[in-house]
Amino acid sequence: MADAFTGPEPDLAALLASRPALSMQAREGLCFESVPLNAIADQYGTPVWVYGAGSMEARYKALRAALDAENLPAHIHYAVKANDHLAILGLFHRLGAGADVVSIGEFLRARRVGVAGAEIVYSGVGKSAAEIEAALAQGIGQINVESAEELEMISGIAARMGVSAPVALRMNPDVDAGTHAKITTGLAENKFGIAAAEIPALYARAASLPGIKPRGIALHIGSQILSTTPYAEAYARAAAMVGALRAQGQSVEVLDLGGGLGIGYHDEPGLNLAAFAATVRRAVGGLGVQLLLEPGRYLVGPAGLLLASVILQKRTEKRFVVLDAAMNELMRPALYEAWHGILPVDPALFHGAQSPADVVGPICESADCFAEGRALPDLPPGTRVALLDTGAYGAVMSSAYNARPRAASVLIEHGQTRLITPRQAPQDLWADEIV
Ligand SMILES: *Cc1c(COP(=O)(O)O)cnc(C)c1O
C-alpha cells in the first residue's frame, strides 16, 4: 500500500484551494505566507527549502486548542526527527512544546535551543550506553524503554551514576495504524515496543531495579494516520494497561500517546483534531495521568515546501520534467512511494494546457522520481515549481549523494524571509575528509 488515499489525483486548482498558506497572484505568481516564491528563488537560488513560521505556529495552536477544548492534561513534545533545524526547534520551544528525540544528536539539538532536559522524552529501539549516559547526565525527563534488555542496561548505567532514570515502558498495542508498511510501528511484527502481555511483569521489575523510576506507559503506533479508529483502539488498550498496573499496586503517572497525526497530502483533510482530542478524552481522559503527545509531521509537514527550477524537459515517448532538486533532497517518493503536490510558480503556466509528465531529478537512479504521469502544463527551462508539504521528513533525510551540495533553507516570519541554512559550497563537500 503506497498511500492510504485512494481518491483521484487533485488538479492544480484543488491543490491550491486546500492550502490556505498558498495563493496564486496574477502578477507575482505562487506565494507562500504572502511571499512570492519567485522572489525567494531569485534571492537564494534553487533548490531551496521554504518554511512558514506562521503555518507552524498556527498548527501548534490548533492542536493545543483542540486538546484544551477537551480539558486534557496533555503536554506536546515536538518529534524532532520530522525537522530538526534549530530555528524550527526554537520556534516550538517558545510556543511551549517539549521535545521527543530518538538519538543523542537530537537530544543535544533540543538542548541547544533551550529545551530543558526534563522536557525531553527519549524514544528508540537501540539507544547506546553512551547515549543513555549522556541523556541521564543532562537530566532527561523520560526514557521510553523498548525492551527488557534495555531496561536492565539503563538500570546498570543509572545506578553506576547514582541517579534515578525516569522511564516509561513502550507498549506495542498490536494495532494496525492503516498507514504505509514502512511507517507503521504498532504491530506485533514490528521491531518497536514491548508486547502488552509482558508489560505487567516488566513494570514490577522496573519498580524494583536500582536506578529506575517507572513513570508510566508509552505507545506510538505509526505515522501519517488519518482516522481516529486505530487511535481509539490503541488508547483503549493503553487505558486497560494502566488499570491492570494499578490493580497490581503500581503507580502510573504518565501516559505517552505518541504521534502519527496525519496530514492531507492530496486535497483530503488531515486528521480531524477535534475528533482526535475527543477520542483521547473518551479513551484515557479519566485516568488521572499526565498525557504526552509526540506529533512531528502534523506540525511541520504542510508548513514547508521544496522550491526547484526546471533544468529541461526531455521528450521520449514520455515527457520528463527534469528538476534541479533530486532524491538526495527529498527522499520520500523514493522511500515510501509518497505523493507530493507539485505546483508551477508562474501564473501563466499554472493556467496552461496540461499533459502527463514524469517529474524527476538529475541523479543516476530510476528511483529519483518525484511524480509519474502527473498532469502538468508545459514547464520551460528556468521556470520554478513547488513540491508541497515537504516540511516533515524532507531536509532531515537529505544527503550529498552524487556530490550534490546541501540545498539552502529559508524561514518566512511575518512576511519576511530569512536564510536559515546557507547553500553548501562545493568545496565544503569534502571539507571534513582526510586524504
Ligand atoms: C517518529 C515518531 C514520532 C513522530 O511521528 P509523526 O508521524 O511525525 O507524528 C513520535 N514518536 C515516536 C516514538 C516516533 O518514532
Side-chain angles (χ1 to χ4, degrees):
M1 179 177 55
D3 213 309
F5 182 81
T6 51
E9 287 198 357
D11 61 18
L12 301 185
L15 280 173
L16 190 60
S18 50
R19 285 162 179 78
L22 288 173
S23 62
M24 181 55 80
Q25 306 297 329
R27 293 228 326 266
E28 292 172 313
L30 190 64
C31 296
F32 186 47
E33 294 196 358
S34 306
V35 176
L37 292 176
N38 268 330
I40 292 177
D42 289 344
Q43 184 170 356
Y44 301 103
T46 57
V48 56
W49 300 97
V50 184
Y51 302 119
S55 301
M56 292 181 194
E57 184 171 341
R59 300 185 71 79
Y60 181 86
K61 287 184 170 167
L63 177 58
R64 186 69 266 163
L67 297 168
D68 291 346
E70 297 286 354
N71 281 314
L72 290 166
H75 196 54
I76 298 172
H77 287 250
Y78 170 61
V80 171
K81 78 174 186 284
N83 190 320
D84 66 9
H85 197 289
L86 294 183
I88 291 170
L89 299 184
L91 184 150
F92 287 117
H93 171 53
R94 287 191 296 279
L95 289 170
D100 171 65
V101 305
V102 294
S103 72
I104 204 66
E106 287 188 355
F107 178 87
L108 294 173
R109 278 181 172 274
R111 295 282 296 125
R112 172 70 181 75
V113 300
V115 182
E119 291 293 307
I120 303 176
V121 173
Y122 193 164
S123 308
V125 70
K127 310 168 195 82
S128 74
E131 288 180 306
I132 291 166
E133 185 169 342
L136 287 172
Q138 295 201 36
I140 182 86
Q142 177 173 309
I143 302 178
N144 289 348
V145 174
E146 302 238 5
S147 63
E149 294 82 352
E150 185 179 61
L151 182 67
E152 303 293 332
M153 183 170 155
I154 296 170
S155 168
I157 296 166
R160 181 163 42 74
M161 295 171 71
V163 300
S164 177
V167 306
L169 299 190
R170 177 165 173 185
M171 167 175 137
N172 184 325
D174 198 14
V175 162
D176 186 351
T179 186
H180 188 278
K182 286 186 184 166
I183 52 176
T184 196
T185 57
L187 282 171
E189 68 200 50
N190 298 132
K191 71 179 175 183
F192 299 99
I194 301 159
E198 293 166 22
I199 296 259
L202 198 60
Y203 206 92
R205 168 106 184 120
S208 73
L209 275 175
I212 297 286
K213 162 86 178 78
R215 302 177 85 205
I217 294 296
L219 67 165
H220 170 70
I221 59 174
S223 200
Q224 183 52 14
I225 300 168
L226 290 171
S227 151
T228 56
T229 308
Y231 282 121
E233 217 177 304
Y235 294 169
R237 289 180 194 185
M241 183 61 71
V242 171
L245 293 173
R246 285 176 171 167
Q248 77 179 28
Q250 301 296 345
S251 134
V252 182
E253 298 150 36
V254 172
L255 180 54
D256 180 343
L257 299 169
L261 288 71
I263 62 173
Y265 278 105
H266 306 77
D267 58 348
E268 76 280 34
L271 179 71
N272 182 314
L273 291 183
F276 173 75
T279 299
V280 171
R281 184 199 22 88
R282 277 195 295 272
V284 303
L287 289 176
V289 288
Q290 169 69 50
L291 299 173
L292 305 184
L293 270 184
E294 305 169 345
R297 185 191 314 268
Y298 179 81
L299 294 175
V300 292
L305 58 82
L306 178 59
L307 183 58
S309 298
V310 176
I311 295 177
L312 52 79
Q313 293 187 98
K314 170 175 172 170
R315 292 171 205 274
T316 59
E317 69 253 43
K318 280 179 162 182
R319 172 166 66 121
F320 293 96
V321 177
V322 185
L323 302 182
D324 62 358
M327 65 185 286
N328 72 299
E329 275 88 33
L330 178 64
M331 216 158 86
R332 297 189 69 255
L335 191 58
Y336 310 118
E337 300 159 303
W339 194 98
H340 284 276
I342 300 176
L343 289 180
V345 172
D346 184 300
L349 297 178
F350 184 86
H351 297 290
Q354 298 180 357
S355 65
D358 284 13
V359 182
V360 303
I363 284 184
C364 303
E365 300 274 349
S366 294
D368 185 24
C369 178
F370 294 120
E372 269 180 276
R374 186 71 62 88
L376 283 169
D378 183 41
L379 292 166
T383 57
R384 280 96 180 221
V385 296
L387 287 86
L388 307 181
D389 310 311
T390 47
Y393 306 108
V396 279
M397 287 189 183
S398 60
S399 75
Y401 186 41
N402 278 208
R404 291 170 51 84
R406 181 193 59 219
S409 54
V410 302
L411 183 65
I412 303 171
E413 296 162 307
H414 310 292
Q416 302 291 316
T417 303
R418 177 162 73 89
L419 183 70
I420 57 171
T421 314
R423 185 173 307 286
Q424 192 174 29
Q427 62 272 22
D428 289 343
L429 283 168
W430 55 84
D432 58 0
E433 292 176 19
I434 298 165
V435 181

